[in-house]
Amino acid sequence: MPEFLTLLPPDEARSLLLSHLSALQTVSETVDLGSAVGRVLAEDVIAPHPLPDFRRSTVDGYAVQAANTHGASDSLPAYLNLIGEVPMGDKPAFEIEPGQCALIHTGGMLPNGSDAVVMLEYTQETRGAGQTPNPAQEIEIFRSAADGENVIQIGEDVARGQMVQAKGTVLRPAEIGGLAALGITTLRVSNKVRVGLISTGDEVIDPSRSPRPGQVRDVNTYTLAALVAKGGGIAVQYGIIADRFEALKDAAAKALSECDVVIITAGSSASTRDMTADVIRSLGEPGVLVHGINTRPGKPTILGVCKGRAVIGLPGNPVSALVNGYLFVVPVIEKLMGVLPRPKPTALAQLTLNLPSQAGREDWWPVKLTANAQSKAAKYTAAPIFGKSNLIFTLAAADGLLCIPPDATGLSAGEIVEVFLL
Amino acid sequence: MPEFLTLLPPDEARSLLLSHLSALQTVSETVDLGSAVGRVLAEDVIAPHPLPDFRRSTVDGYAVQAANTHGASDSLPAYLNLIGEVPMGDKPAFEIEPGQCALIHTGGMLPNGSDAVVMLEYTQETRGAGQTPNPAQEIEIFRSAADGENVIQIGEDVARGQMVQAKGTVLRPAEIGGLAALGITTLRVSNKVRVGLISTGDEVIDPSRSPRPGQVRDVNTYTLAALVAKGGGIAVQYGIIADRFEALKDAAAKALSECDVVIITAGSSASTRDMTADVIRSLGEPGVLVHGINTRPGKPTILGVCKGRAVIGLPGNPVSALVNGYLFVVPVIEKLMGVLPRPKPTALAQLTLNLPSQAGREDWWPVKLTANAQSKAAKYTAAPIFGKSNLIFTLAAADGLLCIPPDATGLSAGEIVEVFLL
């Protein structure tokens, strides 16, 4: 059975696949800001004006000329004439001249002539305390203010013309807020990548049907559709195709013509896996790039590119298919959408037992995380879940995956490990 | 300014708020499995049948009676009569008797009478090699097989009647696959929690409008709507309300009657923050639970419950509002939807510089993560982003938040820290 003559390390396999793909440049759509969270910016965002575009106070206090407060202290206060109150949301109708001050609230616009704000707690009204400020009032200042103190300067958040968000940014709540602040209420985002899903296997039936003896329900179409949706794509289902070359080739050719990526989850046996590789070879150049990856689960994974589009053959075992979906399908979706990478979500945990591994192979173990109040080093313990890679509930019971890298021969009980959250 | 007489630690404040809330028991809806990813299970899922419900081979090989292979070795093989091939997706029409074997593929159903599978590579055909198996053929077996070897037993994934997924589980691709395997194609999920959003501030205008001097665009409605959507809820916008008690009270009462949670982002000044607290007190018992939290940013946060529903007053500064949305709003949504907790996504990083902090206060710093190929200890460096908490782009530039706990007086350059991903 010379099925896998050369097993590529997963990082190398992924790089090879991605090197044959380029971002889908021309496809984007316009969305409202209110529905843009999770979408990918299709163009750079340039600030049309500075933020803020007027000088704002960061505290409640008195707008002053800083020089008028120099040397002020509890025992030797400065005395300033109160000339008014800055209205919220409007430009003050007055200017601050030497010896004057104005009441200002957090977020208020600094009057011309002022260059700093003294916090209320370092001041005292000398007459008419507690009443509306009147022009006759005098304010005692007990602290020296520096030029610019408690003031947000024009452009301190962003300058006019600044590139504030790069093409490829996945929009999170913070980015949405930045766009709102700049008045950008519609924007161009990348179209969602279309991922065609084909299941094979004469034993596989649709989940809505009742299996006869020897039949199993199609799991992979559903796990991979959910993964694609989470990864920012759109899954297009092509159903369950019989284990015959022509049928599989026809289905794959149709999917390839309609989608940006095609995934074939092979039947489990070696013969159907080989058929997947043959189909990929038949669909166009360069065809199969990688057949066999030095990882567990997922050794039989096939990575191919046909006419510029990725065609991936995943093992039929549900755990292998899903784990390798995380490893290879999500990065392809991100590459095609031009996504700027962010760190993958992980959790720090203490391993509960020794995990052996074969040197040279990258292992991905499902682990269950449990809160661990005792340890300062990690908030969780990670307990590996043992089970054959056909057993989807081993993965449903897991919080994440633990990677044992190729250069390790295992991990030891008590080690602090980084678990990739599912 | 005796605004915050008692500042509660954030954990304590959150626990107090959550202790006044209970999961919304009665509201759930039915969805198709294909659109269930990210939703929350509204009832326990019980396996209606075992998985698998027939014995399956995990390899390509020969189904045998293990006892017939005992003692077999390269030099002394066992000889078994090949009686047929197991069809994929069907029950074999034959039984294995002593001295017999049958060709079986990965995922195939074990014939009655057999109890183990010997992998192809430990066998050899004695006659007619390479041809379709025929009843006259004999197979050499070079390895002893243990009872059950290379076989998935009935119920090995899940047993009939087993509770496989608990109410409150957030459905990820793996859970979706488990449900597909059991033939559960429609299911009950929790309704999305409705979160009413009210902005206040006479200086605040809708992002679609052009600000006059002194005006700023409403950021908080948009960041919080995105956060609510990510957290599994539905945001309902009540617009920007003037800084007047009656107007704010009317808007909040309307939101409270239509939503499960109400968030008021206060104007920035102390007086409008106090107004928010007064409004919450006016809406029903118990009213304000917490006014002032020992955290930065977010000290002025107000946590309240009125008539069993959470009403939260967040600071008007965009960074404070969003950070405290992560700290207090998301946990409320999860509590109301009965979500079973999972670890929060983090990344491990090495801090680039010293970060001082005030003992007793919990600080949340925005940090930028950069890949750090040199270090074995952490894949990233974390550089704190400095900026006033009014500057939304400090958060848009951040990959995550770094927490300095209340019992620390800071963190040191070079320390390995866990960064909470935004």
Side-chain angles (χ1 to χ4, degrees):
Chain A
M1 303 250 61
E3 198 186 359
F4 307 116
L5 284 177
T6 51
L7 292 174
L8 232 54
D11 285 350
E12 210 174 301
R14 186 169 36 242
S15 298
L16 180 61
L17 175 64
L18 296 179
S19 74
H20 281 76
L21 303 173
S22 42
L24 305 172
Q25 292 295 341
T26 53
V27 283
S28 65
E29 58 184 306
T30 301
V31 295
D32 285 338
L33 187 58
S35 55
V37 67
R39 300 302 297 267
V40 181
L41 269 182
E43 52 197 16
D44 293 343
V45 173
I46 310 294
H49 57 71
L51 257 189
D53 59 1
F54 58 91
R55 297 180 304 154
R56 303 184 75 189
S57 176
T58 62
V59 297
D60 297 329
Y62 291 97
V64 299
Q65 295 191 353
N68 294 167
T69 67
H70 287 173
S73 66
D74 284 344
S75 55
L76 200 64
Y79 290 85
L80 297 176
N81 285 319
L82 179 62
I83 62 160
E85 175 177 0
V86 173
M88 289 307 290
D90 215 342
K91 187 177 159 71
F94 47 80
E95 293 195 13
I96 302 294
E97 306 207 346
Q100 295 183 333
C101 69
L103 184 62
I104 191 167
H105 307 284
T106 309
M109 180 174 187
L110 257 74
N112 284 339
S114 66
D115 54 22
V117 179
V118 181
M119 290 175 78
L120 274 189
E121 43 263 65
Y122 304 130
T123 69
Q124 187 170 289
E125 299 172 9
T126 55
R127 286 193 301 272
Q131 292 170 20
T132 313
N134 70 69
Q137 216 168 30
E138 224 174 21
I139 303 294
E140 287 182 290
I141 307 285
F142 301 114
R143 288 274 177 107
S144 184
D147 189 353
E149 191 167 334
N150 298 322
V151 175
I152 306 178
Q153 302 296 340
I154 292 172
E156 187 170 336
D157 201 350
V158 293
R160 182 200 307 272
Q162 189 178 330
M163 202 269 273
V164 287
Q165 284 170 23
K167 179 179 170 171
T169 301
V170 178
L171 297 168
R172 304 165 305 166
E175 277 86 13
I176 299 288
L179 295 167
L182 292 170
I184 298 168
T185 53
T186 59
L187 57 155
R188 300 290 293 174
V189 297
S190 297
N191 273 353
K192 294 186 175 190
V193 166
R194 290 169 64 86
V195 181
L197 301 176
I198 296 172
S199 272
T200 67
D202 287 337
E203 77 278 25
V204 179
I205 60 165
D206 189 84
S208 61
R209 289 177 52 201
S210 284
R212 293 198 315 267
Q215 294 184 326
V216 293
R217 293 194 179 94
D218 180 15
V219 167
N220 295 326
T221 294
Y222 285 78
T223 54
L224 294 171
L227 182 71
V228 165
K230 273 191 76 172
I234 291 179
V236 185
Q237 300 186 8
Y238 289 89
I240 303 157
I241 307 298
D243 283 344
R244 284 183 297 280
F245 179 82
E246 285 302 328
L248 186 55
K249 186 186 165 182
D250 289 350
K254 180 170 175 1
L256 194 64
S257 72
E258 296 172 347
C259 297
D260 307 302
V261 181
V262 176
I263 303 176
I264 302 169
T265 50
S268 339
S269 69
S271 58
T272 62
R273 292 195 300 254
D274 289 343
M275 191 192 298
T276 301
D278 291 341
V279 164
I280 295 175
R281 283 186 199 99
S282 77
L283 291 176
E285 292 296 317
V288 172
L289 300 171
V290 178
H291 190 175
I293 297 174
N294 206 354
T295 184
R296 188 175 78 172
K299 189 170 75 169
T301 294
I302 305 168
L303 306 178
V305 169
C306 307
K307 303 172 188 160
R309 296 182 177 178
V311 185
I312 298 176
L314 293 178
N317 284 332
V319 174
S320 310
L322 184 49
V323 169
N324 285 274
Y326 280 100
L327 296 180
F328 298 104
V329 176
V330 173
V332 165
I333 292 174
E334 293 180 344
K335 172 87 186 249
L336 293 180
M337 294 179 74
V339 168
L340 295 172
R342 291 224 189 249
K344 299 291 171 217
T346 63
L348 213 56
Q350 189 164 29
L351 192 59
T352 57
L353 43 77
N354 295 326
L355 266 188
S357 166
Q358 184 181 304
R361 186 183 68 194
E362 184 174 288
D363 282 12
W364 290 89
W365 277 99
V367 294
K368 171 92 192 145
L369 300 175
T370 305
N372 178 24
Q374 272 86 38
S375 166
K376 288 281 278 183
K379 287 192 286 291
Y380 299 96
T381 57
I385 299 173
F386 297 96
K388 305 186 176 88
S389 66
N390 322 55
L391 310 183
I392 183 63
F393 282 96
T394 59
L395 213 49
D399 292 294
L401 297 172
L402 178 56
C403 180
I404 309 182
D407 58 358
T409 53
L411 297 169
S412 305
E415 261 190 75
I416 304 295
V417 292
E418 230 182 329
V419 173
F420 293 83
L421 296 176
L422 286 171
Chain B
M1 302 251 65
E3 198 187 359
F4 306 116
L5 286 177
T6 50
L7 293 173
L8 232 53
D11 286 348
E12 211 174 300
R14 185 168 37 242
S15 297
L16 180 61
L17 174 64
L18 295 180
S19 73
H20 281 77
L21 303 173
S22 42
L24 304 172
Q25 292 295 341
T26 52
V27 284
S28 64
E29 58 184 306
T30 301
V31 295
D32 284 337
L33 187 58
S35 56
V37 68
R39 301 302 297 269
V40 180
L41 267 183
E43 53 195 16
D44 293 343
V45 173
I46 311 294
H49 57 71
L51 257 188
D53 60 1
F54 59 91
R55 296 182 303 156
R56 304 185 74 189
S57 176
T58 63
V59 296
D60 297 328
Y62 291 96
V64 299
Q65 295 190 354
N68 295 166
T69 67
H70 287 171
S73 67
D74 285 344
S75 55
L76 198 67
Y79 290 87
L80 297 176
N81 285 320
L82 178 62
I83 61 160
E85 175 178 359
V86 174
M88 288 307 289
D90 215 342
K91 187 178 160 69
F94 46 79
E95 292 194 15
I96 302 296
E97 306 208 346
Q100 295 183 333
C101 70
L103 184 62
I104 190 167
H105 307 285
T106 308
M109 180 175 186
L110 256 74
N112 283 339
S114 67
D115 55 22
V117 178
V118 181
M119 291 175 78
L120 274 188
E121 43 263 63
Y122 304 131
T123 67
Q124 187 172 290
E125 297 171 12
T126 53
R127 287 192 302 271
Q131 292 170 17
T132 314
N134 71 69
Q137 217 168 32
E138 222 173 25
I139 304 294
E140 287 181 291
I141 308 284
F142 302 114
R143 286 275 178 105
S144 184
D147 188 353
E149 192 167 335
N150 298 321
V151 175
I152 305 177
Q153 302 296 341
I154 292 173
E156 187 169 336
D157 201 350
V158 292
R160 180 200 306 271
Q162 189 179 330
M163 203 268 274
V164 287
Q165 284 171 22
K167 178 180 170 173
T169 301
V170 178
L171 296 168
R172 305 166 304 168
E175 277 85 15
I176 299 288
L179 294 168
L182 291 171
I184 298 170
T185 54
T186 61
L187 56 154
R188 301 289 295 173
V189 298
S190 298
N191 273 353
K192 293 186 174 189
V193 166
R194 290 170 64 85
V195 181
L197 301 176
I198 297 172
S199 272
T200 67
D202 287 338
E203 77 279 24
V204 178
I205 61 166
D206 188 83
S208 61
R209 290 178 50 201
S210 284
R212 294 197 316 267
Q215 294 184 326
V216 293
R217 293 194 179 95
D218 180 15
V219 168
N220 295 326
T221 294
Y222 285 79
T223 54
L224 293 172
L227 182 71
V228 166
K230 272 189 76 172
I234 291 179
V236 185
Q237 299 185 10
Y238 290 89
I240 302 156
I241 308 298
D243 284 344
R244 284 185 297 280
F245 180 82
E246 285 302 328
L248 186 54
K249 185 187 165 183
D250 289 350
K254 181 170 177 358
L256 194 64
S257 71
E258 296 172 348
C259 297
D260 307 302
V261 181
V262 176
I263 303 176
I264 302 169
T265 51
S268 339
S269 69
S271 58
T272 61
R273 292 196 301 254
D274 288 344
M275 192 193 296
T276 302
D278 291 341
V279 164
I280 294 175
R281 283 186 199 99
S282 77
L283 291 176
E285 293 298 318
V288 172
L289 300 172
V290 177
H291 191 176
I293 297 175
N294 206 355
T295 184
R296 189 177 77 172
K299 189 170 74 168
T301 294
I302 305 167
L303 305 179
V305 169
C306 307
K307 302 174 190 158
R309 296 180 178 180
V311 186
I312 298 176
L314 294 178
N317 284 333
V319 174
S320 311
L322 184 49
V323 169
N324 285 274
Y326 280 100
L327 296 181
F328 298 104
V329 177
V330 173
V332 165
I333 293 173
E334 292 180 345
K335 172 86 186 251
L336 293 180
M337 293 178 75
V339 168
L340 295 172
R342 291 224 189 250
K344 299 292 172 215
T346 64
L348 213 56
Q350 189 163 30
L351 192 59
T352 56
L353 43 76
N354 295 327
L355 265 188
S357 166
Q358 184 181 303
R361 187 182 68 195
E362 183 174 286
D363 282 12
W364 290 88
W365 278 99
V367 294
K368 172 93 191 143
L369 300 176
T370 305
N372 178 25
Q374 274 86 38
S375 166
K376 287 281 279 185
K379 286 192 286 291
Y380 300 95
T381 58
I385 299 172
F386 296 95
K388 305 187 176 85
S389 67
N390 321 56
L391 310 183
I392 182 65
F393 281 96
T394 59
L395 213 50
D399 292 293
L401 297 171
L402 178 56
C403 180
I404 309 182
D407 58 357
T409 53
L411 296 170
S412 305
E415 262 188 72
I416 304 295
V417 293
E418 227 181 332
V419 173
F420 292 83
L421 297 176
L422 286 170

